[in-house]
Structures are given as C-alpha cells and as structure tokens.
Amino acid sequence: MAYDLITMGRIGVDLYPLQTGVPLPQVTSFGKFLGGSASNVAVAAARLGRRTAVITRTGDDPFGDYLHEALKGFGVDDRWVTPVPGLPTPVTFCEVFPPDDFPLYFYRQPKAPDLEIDAHELDLDAIREARAFWVTGTGLSEEPSRTATLAALAHRAKAGPTVFDLDWRPMFWTDPEAARPFYEEALRHTTVAVGNLDEVEVATGEREPHAAARALLDAGVELAVVKQGPKGVLAVNSAGESAEVPPLPVNVLNGLGAGDAFGGSLVHGLLAGWDLEKTMRHANAAGAIVASRLECSSAMPAPGEIEAAVTAGAVR
C-alpha cells in the first residue's frame, strides 16, 4: 500500500526552554522534542490521518534512538531512518521571546547525518508510488544529500503532488551564492513550491509576492505558495487561480514549527482535492495553532482543532 506522504530531509532533537522571555544563559530547564522540518511535516500530516514516512538519517547514539521512538509514537514510519556511524544526532536550541523573536542555534557539526542520505540507498519505487512527496532546500546544501534529493525528484517525475519546501538556511551552505542553480533544478521536477519572501527570492531573484509566484510557475511548478508573514499567504496555480488568505489572530508563544504544520495541512488539502482557498485557510489555521504552543512536533493539531480555528476565525 502506497504512502500518502513521504518526506525527505532534516531530523534532530529540539531542546526548547521551558521558560519564555529568558536568554539561554539564564535558562534552567528544557523540554526535549522531535525536530527537523521534513520530520515535522510528516508528523503534521500523520496527525491529520495520513499514512506517512520520512527518509532521513541520525547518529548512532541515544538521541537517534529517541527520534525513532518519537516518530513511531506519532505514527510516522521510520523504516528509512538509518544511523551514520561517527556523526552525532543534531541538536537544536532556541530562545523564546514572544511574539516574534525565536533565535535558533543549530548544532550540526562536523556534519549532520541527514546530509548523508545517499541516492543508492533510496527506495525510488516507493517515492514514485507515494501520493505526495516532500523535499527541502537544506537537502540540496551538501553532497551526497544533494544528488539523492535530485535523483528522487527526477525518478518521481511529478507523479502526484511533489512539494519543494524552499527552506532557506544560509548557515547550512558553504557558499550561499551557489544555491540558486540547485534550486532551479529542483523546481523543474516539482509541482508545488512553498516558501517565505526570503526563500522565494533565493529561488527566483524576485521578492514581490506576485512576481515571485509567477517566477516559480515559470520555473515549472503547478502551484506557488508564498508566505508573506503578517500579510498572510498567497497561492497561485498554473490554471490562473489564486487565493490570498490573511493570517488568523493568535497569541503567539513560539512561532517555530508553524511552517511545518502549514506544510502537513497543505499536503492534506491537496490530497483531499480541496479548492485553493480552503486548502490555504486550513494550512494557515494549522500553523497558527502550533504558533500558540511551545513545542513543534507534539503540538501538531488534529482535524477538529483546525476546523474549529477556521470556523472561529482565530485561535482561541
């Protein structure tokens, strides 16, 4: 039986302070959570009833064991999560200064295991058969993950929704200026591109949302989703349809993870055959709900929570 969604990319342990408004030197307690954008998207879609799996790699260490346990606990298949001897499982710290300041500190040295995904080890048939497939820009930042990501996209050949999360993290690139050609190649193999204003600018050179959306469509995708921050989200497809949806009012506790909740709900809407505006409204609501909570993976909302937020027009 094919998966509803296979994601490919980052995984790690998020260590989030249990005190808000406190800088890291003064924090005294942390919560431990599954993290990494591709993994969180798989969790978000699983919470919505989708059969999901993630392709990634961890260290051969206790944190790696924890991530396997966490994925299975969330209902995400971990069969393609493999250890890399000699590399530690990544850890990410953040500071929480609501409503809009959440500095991240990535510990992915000497190299993150999820960048050791090898094309020769991929189950390409499963990738092609999945109803939806999701990759990230970070997966293009180093070899062998770059070749593996592009090989997976090429083999899938747009067989169903194929999502490129532009996921721009300049600190993961040796030469950030070299990113665009790899982004352009990935876009040729994808049907959906998702990114904020910084990310669409890296991918296309355009920052104005409508111009960026047109550039993404010209690059080969069928649906361009541009996150505009306080202005909400713009979605434009190749059929000429568009939807521009404002954000839901919410008391933000931690904005990290909201984009991954958005992504899981986006895939859910695409697979359900919803129209563009409904898909965006539900994805926006999913993201807003997670922004109202401290954690990421374990904060992913259930369908009823999203429906309630959409109906109320706010996160209560």
Side-chain angles (χ1 to χ4, degrees), residues 227-240:
K227 300 174 185 177
Q228 305 176 83
K231 293 185 178 180
V233 61
L234 167 69
V236 183
N237 67 22
S238 55

PDB file of all heavy atoms in Angstrom, residues 227-240:
ATOM      1  N   LYS A 227       4.555  32.678   1.435  1.00  0.00           N
ATOM      2  CA  LYS A 227       4.193  33.119   2.778  1.00  0.00           C
ATOM      3  C   LYS A 227       4.656  34.560   2.959  1.00  0.00           C
ATOM      4  O   LYS A 227       5.837  34.865   2.769  1.00  0.00           O
ATOM      5  CB  LYS A 227       4.837  32.214   3.818  1.00  0.00           C
ATOM      6  CG  LYS A 227       4.413  30.757   3.714  1.00  0.00           C
ATOM      7  CD  LYS A 227       5.203  29.897   4.682  1.00  0.00           C
ATOM      8  CE  LYS A 227       4.888  28.428   4.524  1.00  0.00           C
ATOM      9  NZ  LYS A 227       5.715  27.585   5.421  1.00  0.00           N
ATOM     10  N   GLN A 228       3.728  35.431   3.338  1.00  0.00           N
ATOM     11  CA  GLN A 228       4.016  36.861   3.401  1.00  0.00           C
ATOM     12  C   GLN A 228       4.069  37.391   4.830  1.00  0.00           C
ATOM     13  O   GLN A 228       3.941  38.597   5.040  1.00  0.00           O
ATOM     14  CB  GLN A 228       2.945  37.633   2.625  1.00  0.00           C
ATOM     15  CG  GLN A 228       2.771  37.177   1.185  1.00  0.00           C
ATOM     16  CD  GLN A 228       1.647  37.910   0.499  1.00  0.00           C
ATOM     17  OE1 GLN A 228       1.812  39.030  -0.004  1.00  0.00           O
ATOM     18  NE2 GLN A 228       0.460  37.306   0.497  1.00  0.00           N
ATOM     19  N   GLY A 229       4.246  36.509   5.807  1.00  0.00           N
ATOM     20  CA  GLY A 229       4.319  36.969   7.191  1.00  0.00           C
ATOM     21  C   GLY A 229       3.012  37.574   7.651  1.00  0.00           C
ATOM     22  O   GLY A 229       1.952  36.955   7.515  1.00  0.00           O
ATOM     23  N   PRO A 230       3.032  38.817   8.179  1.00  0.00           N
ATOM     24  CA  PRO A 230       1.810  39.443   8.703  1.00  0.00           C
ATOM     25  C   PRO A 230       0.723  39.647   7.648  1.00  0.00           C
ATOM     26  O   PRO A 230      -0.435  39.867   7.998  1.00  0.00           O
ATOM     27  CB  PRO A 230       2.304  40.793   9.230  1.00  0.00           C
ATOM     28  CG  PRO A 230       3.761  40.616   9.456  1.00  0.00           C
ATOM     29  CD  PRO A 230       4.227  39.651   8.419  1.00  0.00           C
ATOM     30  N   LYS A 231       1.087  39.566   6.360  1.00  0.00           N
ATOM     31  CA  LYS A 231       0.095  39.730   5.295  1.00  0.00           C
ATOM     32  C   LYS A 231      -0.561  38.413   4.899  1.00  0.00           C
ATOM     33  O   LYS A 231      -1.387  38.377   3.988  1.00  0.00           O
ATOM     34  CB  LYS A 231       0.739  40.381   4.066  1.00  0.00           C
ATOM     35  CG  LYS A 231       1.177  41.820   4.285  1.00  0.00           C
ATOM     36  CD  LYS A 231       1.690  42.443   3.004  1.00  0.00           C
ATOM     37  CE  LYS A 231       2.080  43.909   3.205  1.00  0.00           C
ATOM     38  NZ  LYS A 231       2.587  44.510   1.936  1.00  0.00           N
ATOM     39  N   GLY A 232      -0.184  37.324   5.542  1.00  0.00           N
ATOM     40  CA  GLY A 232      -0.811  36.051   5.233  1.00  0.00           C
ATOM     41  C   GLY A 232      -0.087  35.291   4.144  1.00  0.00           C
ATOM     42  O   GLY A 232       1.134  35.414   3.975  1.00  0.00           O
ATOM     43  N   VAL A 233      -0.837  34.522   3.358  1.00  0.00           N
ATOM     44  CA  VAL A 233      -0.235  33.649   2.360  1.00  0.00           C
ATOM     45  C   VAL A 233      -0.901  33.877   1.007  1.00  0.00           C
ATOM     46  O   VAL A 233      -2.107  34.106   0.916  1.00  0.00           O
ATOM     47  CB  VAL A 233      -0.358  32.162   2.781  1.00  0.00           C
ATOM     48  CG1 VAL A 233      -1.810  31.745   2.909  1.00  0.00           C
ATOM     49  CG2 VAL A 233       0.373  31.256   1.802  1.00  0.00           C
ATOM     50  N   LEU A 234      -0.072  33.838  -0.040  1.00  0.00           N
ATOM     51  CA  LEU A 234      -0.541  33.954  -1.419  1.00  0.00           C
ATOM     52  C   LEU A 234      -0.303  32.624  -2.115  1.00  0.00           C
ATOM     53  O   LEU A 234       0.800  32.067  -2.042  1.00  0.00           O
ATOM     54  CB  LEU A 234       0.226  35.057  -2.150  1.00  0.00           C
ATOM     55  CG  LEU A 234       0.067  35.104  -3.677  1.00  0.00           C
ATOM     56  CD1 LEU A 234      -1.352  35.536  -4.055  1.00  0.00           C
ATOM     57  CD2 LEU A 234       1.097  36.050  -4.298  1.00  0.00           C
ATOM     58  N   ALA A 235      -1.318  32.101  -2.787  1.00  0.00           N
ATOM     59  CA  ALA A 235      -1.182  30.872  -3.566  1.00  0.00           C
ATOM     60  C   ALA A 235      -1.696  31.125  -4.973  1.00  0.00           C
ATOM     61  O   ALA A 235      -2.785  31.679  -5.152  1.00  0.00           O
ATOM     62  CB  ALA A 235      -1.958  29.736  -2.919  1.00  0.00           C
ATOM     63  N   VAL A 236      -0.913  30.743  -5.973  1.00  0.00           N
ATOM     64  CA  VAL A 236      -1.277  30.924  -7.377  1.00  0.00           C
ATOM     65  C   VAL A 236      -0.968  29.619  -8.100  1.00  0.00           C
ATOM     66  O   VAL A 236       0.118  29.047  -7.922  1.00  0.00           O
ATOM     67  CB  VAL A 236      -0.491  32.081  -8.025  1.00  0.00           C
ATOM     68  CG1 VAL A 236      -0.948  32.291  -9.462  1.00  0.00           C
ATOM     69  CG2 VAL A 236      -0.654  33.363  -7.231  1.00  0.00           C
ATOM     70  N   ASN A 237      -1.908  29.146  -8.924  1.00  0.00           N
ATOM     71  CA  ASN A 237      -1.632  27.919  -9.667  1.00  0.00           C
ATOM     72  C   ASN A 237      -1.572  28.168 -11.165  1.00  0.00           C
ATOM     73  O   ASN A 237      -1.881  29.266 -11.649  1.00  0.00           O
ATOM     74  CB  ASN A 237      -2.623  26.807  -9.307  1.00  0.00           C
ATOM     75  CG  ASN A 237      -4.050  27.091  -9.756  1.00  0.00           C
ATOM     76  OD1 ASN A 237      -4.292  27.878 -10.669  1.00  0.00           O
ATOM     77  ND2 ASN A 237      -5.004  26.438  -9.115  1.00  0.00           N
ATOM     78  N   SER A 238      -1.162  27.140 -11.889  1.00  0.00           N
ATOM     79  CA  SER A 238      -0.933  27.278 -13.331  1.00  0.00           C
ATOM     80  C   SER A 238      -2.231  27.412 -14.112  1.00  0.00           C
ATOM     81  O   SER A 238      -2.203  27.770 -15.296  1.00  0.00           O
ATOM     82  CB  SER A 238      -0.136  26.082 -13.842  1.00  0.00           C
ATOM     83  OG  SER A 238      -0.782  24.866 -13.509  1.00  0.00           O
ATOM     84  N   ALA A 239      -3.374  27.145 -13.476  1.00  0.00           N
ATOM     85  CA  ALA A 239      -4.672  27.323 -14.136  1.00  0.00           C
ATOM     86  C   ALA A 239      -5.157  28.763 -14.042  1.00  0.00           C
ATOM     87  O   ALA A 239      -6.234  29.088 -14.552  1.00  0.00           O
ATOM     88  CB  ALA A 239      -5.703  26.389 -13.515  1.00  0.00           C
ATOM     89  N   GLY A 240      -4.358  29.621 -13.386  1.00  0.00           N
ATOM     90  CA  GLY A 240      -4.723  31.024 -13.249  1.00  0.00           C
ATOM     91  C   GLY A 240      -5.519  31.338 -12.003  1.00  0.00           C
ATOM     92  O   GLY A 240      -5.935  32.491 -11.800  1.00  0.00           O
TER      93      GLY A 240
END
